[in-house]
Amino acid sequence: MSFLFGSRSSKTFKPKKNIPEGSHQYELLKHAEATLGSGNLRMAVMLPEGEDLNEWVAVNTVDFFNQINMLYGTITDFCTEESCPVMSAGPKYEYHWADGTNIKKPIKCSAPKYIDYLMTWVQDQLDDETLFPSKIGIINFCKGDPS
């Protein structure tokens, strides 16, 4: 559970989910990075010709998760248990954590703890081979679907 805060002493936050260099998924990631920098958002999100939609979505999902991890890593010194005792979006909205499996009833927690729960939950989804296979050509978001 402490994949975010277990090594806070390093002050450097590193994403755990990597796309192997030289793989087809890596080439898709490079394509996405190149088009994103073009300033044309429509082109950046467009499925490259001849590519599998599920693989394209998976590569971009992993990249988005890694980017969010790095962004959050820049504020961990400022958002602590003491300075952010509640996960909220202003005075009107307070977030409580529940994942439906380990924590079924929503619990109140600090913002860092909430983010820790959330990022651990997302990491678990990305590591689930039935949701995000790491082998080329077998990405399938529907569990049990033989296609």
Side-chain angles (χ1 to χ4, degrees):
M1 181 79 53
S2 62
F3 97 97
L4 278 178
F5 303 108
S7 60
R8 281 190 65 145
S9 61
S10 71
K11 303 287 184 202
T12 304
F13 194 75
K14 296 179 182 169
K16 294 177 75 174
K17 186 72 175 179
N18 294 318
I19 296 174
E21 192 171 335
S23 69
H24 182 69
Q25 292 162 331
Y26 183 80
E27 296 306 315
L28 285 175
L29 178 62
K30 289 298 163 198
H31 174 80
E33 288 172 354
T35 56
L36 189 57
S38 72
N40 182 341
L41 190 56
R42 184 176 301 269
M43 190 172 113
V45 299
M46 189 179 300
L47 176 67
E49 189 174 325
E51 297 297 342
D52 180 73
L53 176 62
N54 288 336
E55 196 164 22
W56 178 246
V57 170
V59 163
N60 283 282
T61 300
V62 169
D63 184 50
F64 182 71
F65 175 73
N66 288 340
Q67 296 295 325
I68 293 297
N69 268 339
M70 289 188 293
L71 177 64
Y72 183 69
T74 65
I75 65 166
T76 57
D77 288 341
F78 306 101
C79 185
T80 65
E81 297 281 332
E82 295 77 30
S83 65
C84 303
V86 174
M87 181 65 174
S88 67
K92 289 186 176 184
Y93 301 98
E94 185 173 300
Y95 296 91
H96 294 187
W97 177 258
D99 63 11
T101 306
N102 298 319
I103 301 173
K104 294 183 188 323
K105 183 180 177 190
I107 59 170
K108 184 176 181 175
C109 54
S110 68
K113 191 65 174 169
Y114 185 94
I115 296 298
D116 188 25
Y117 282 134
L118 176 64
M119 299 304 271
T120 300
W121 181 85
V122 172
Q123 182 71 52
D124 289 345
Q125 305 311 300
L126 294 176
D127 289 342
D128 182 344
E129 286 287 324
T130 63
L131 296 174
F132 289 90
S134 56
K135 304 287 186 271
I136 300 299
I138 60 168
I139 290 180
N140 186 351
F141 289 108
C142 301
K143 289 184 180 182
D145 184 350
S147 60

